[in-house]
């Protein structure tokens, strides 16, 4: 067990900032306990670790780590919590965003440097409902992940390394509810995992080019990865099923949006467009529904 305490450069809301890495309410790699402490598993340098992060105050944070990768993981925690973020460069021009910013001053954009950890769940979320993707992620971690080191909450797992993802047979993907297109994309990406992990030290533009060179990875998946790995405050999730409608409704009062309209409305926030989207999602403004939810598909029954 290793413990470190430090004072972040900016006041930080630990749970809100780290929740960008949570893949659904039952994510085996992410738990918020009854005391509000955040438990995360990760893998730095191939070594598994469990991290517990807690806010001692708005300006002081303590992290405790267990496992072979504990020291490297603790070194990364300040980055998770927005140590390299520049929130003061953001200038809201809409009253709604200004209001959310006042209510959530500690919501920062963190970076992990962990590409595989962000890429696999992003691919699982391609063109399916969130519930389907979260269910698949949890099933794959429970079956193929490692038990979390230390006194982690029951059921926590460390996501597999690239080599383990490569060895998952086709029927296991099927049992987890993952269709062949998404599983094929993950396997292809894991064959180039070492090259993709290099994007953690690249500019966002260079990382985008390398990520999208992998068949099956497009602008949406690349943006989702860069948001988490690089802490890119401008990486807009173009191609998202719901985000354009949220942005257009919140900023223009239009129930139906498009990528083109979303980008037009976000133009005043260039350089921080992802941050603007995060704040709008935090505001909870959603267009009214006029149709049933998309049906859940279960590939296991096919």
């Amino acid at each position: 067990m290793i413990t470190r305490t430090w004072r972040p450069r900016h006041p930080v809301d630990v749970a809100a900032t780290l929740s960008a890495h949570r893949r659904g309410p039952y994510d085996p790699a992410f738990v918020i306990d009854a005391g509000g402490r955040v438990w995360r598993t990760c893998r730095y340098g191939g070594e598994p670790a469990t991290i517990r992060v807690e806010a001692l105050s708005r300006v002081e944070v303590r992290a405790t780590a267990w496992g072979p990768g504990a020291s490297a993981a603790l070194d990364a925690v300040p980055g998770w919590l927005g140590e390299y973020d520049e929130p003061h460069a953001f200038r809201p021009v809409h009253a709604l965003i200004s209001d959310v910013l006042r209510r959530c001053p500690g919501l920062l954009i963190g970076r992990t440097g962990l590409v595989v950890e962000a890429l696999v769940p992003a691919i699982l979320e391609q063109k399916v409902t969130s519930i389907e993707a979260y269910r698949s992620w949890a099933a794959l971690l429970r079956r193929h992940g490692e038990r979390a080191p230390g006194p982690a909450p029951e059921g926590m797992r460390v996501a597999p390394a690239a080599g383990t993802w490569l060895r998952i047979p086709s029927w296991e993907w099927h049992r987890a509810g993952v269709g062949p297109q998404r599983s094929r994309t993950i396997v292809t990406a894991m064959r180039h995992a070492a090259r993709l992990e290099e994007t953690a030290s690249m500019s966002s533009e260079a990382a985008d080019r390398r990520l999208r060179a992998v068949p099956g990875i497009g602008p949406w998946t690349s943006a989702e990865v860069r948001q988490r790995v690089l802490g890119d405050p401008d990486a807009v999730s173009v191609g998202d099923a719901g985000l354009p409608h949220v942005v257009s409704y919140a900023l223009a009062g239009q129930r139906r949006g498009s990528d083109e309209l979303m980008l037009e409305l976000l133009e005043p926030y260039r350089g921080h467009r992802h941050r603007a989207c995060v704040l709008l999602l935090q505001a909870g403004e959603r267009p009214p529904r006029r149709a049933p939810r998309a049906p859940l598909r279960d590939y296991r029954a096919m």
Side-chain angles (χ1 to χ4, degrees), residues 86-109:
E86 297 294 343
H88 301 305
F90 181 71
R91 296 288 184 269
V93 297
H94 294 89
L96 176 61
I97 294 181
S98 296
D99 181 61
V100 179
L101 200 57
R102 282 193 297 271
R103 291 189 285 110
C104 308
L107 178 55
L108 303 178
I109 308 295

Side-chain angles (χ1 to χ4, degrees), residues 174-260:
H174 186 79
R175 287 174 180 172
V178 182
Q181 182 175 350
R182 288 177 294 148
S183 63
R184 186 164 53 246
T185 299
I186 292 172
V187 170
T188 301
M190 293 305 100
R191 291 188 182 126
H192 305 283
R195 292 278 289 165
L196 294 177
E197 287 288 0
E198 292 174 359
T199 61
S201 59
M202 293 180 176
S203 68
S204 189
E205 294 76 13
D208 180 48
R209 287 192 296 270
R210 184 168 295 187
L211 286 163
R212 291 172 64 178
V214 177
I217 296 180
W220 181 87
T221 306
S222 171
E224 291 285 312
V225 172
R226 288 180 287 122
Q227 292 162 9
R228 294 166 173 84
V229 175
L230 300 176
D232 185 348
D234 197 49
V236 186
S237 298
V238 174
D240 193 89
L243 185 61
H245 309 311
V246 172
V247 173
S248 64
Y249 183 72
L251 300 185
Q254 297 189 28
R255 191 179 68 85
R256 302 295 295 174
S258 64
D259 285 331
E260 293 75 19

Side-chain angles (χ1 to χ4, degrees), residues 146-188:
E146 297 178 38
R147 182 176 178 179
E154 185 177 357
M156 287 198 74
R157 310 289 284 179
V158 183
T164 303
W165 287 115
L166 280 171
R167 291 191 293 272
I168 297 176
S170 59
W171 58 87
E172 290 288 351
W173 292 107
H174 186 79
R175 287 174 180 172
V178 182
Q181 182 175 350
R182 288 177 294 148
S183 63
R184 186 164 53 246
T185 299
I186 292 172
V187 170
T188 301

Side-chain angles (χ1 to χ4, degrees), residues 128-152:
V128 297
T129 65
S130 297
I131 294 174
E132 293 172 82
Y134 296 157
R135 184 172 59 195
S136 297
W137 173 248
L140 288 164
L141 261 61
R142 284 195 296 266
R143 188 164 184 84
H144 300 283
E146 297 178 38
R147 182 176 178 179

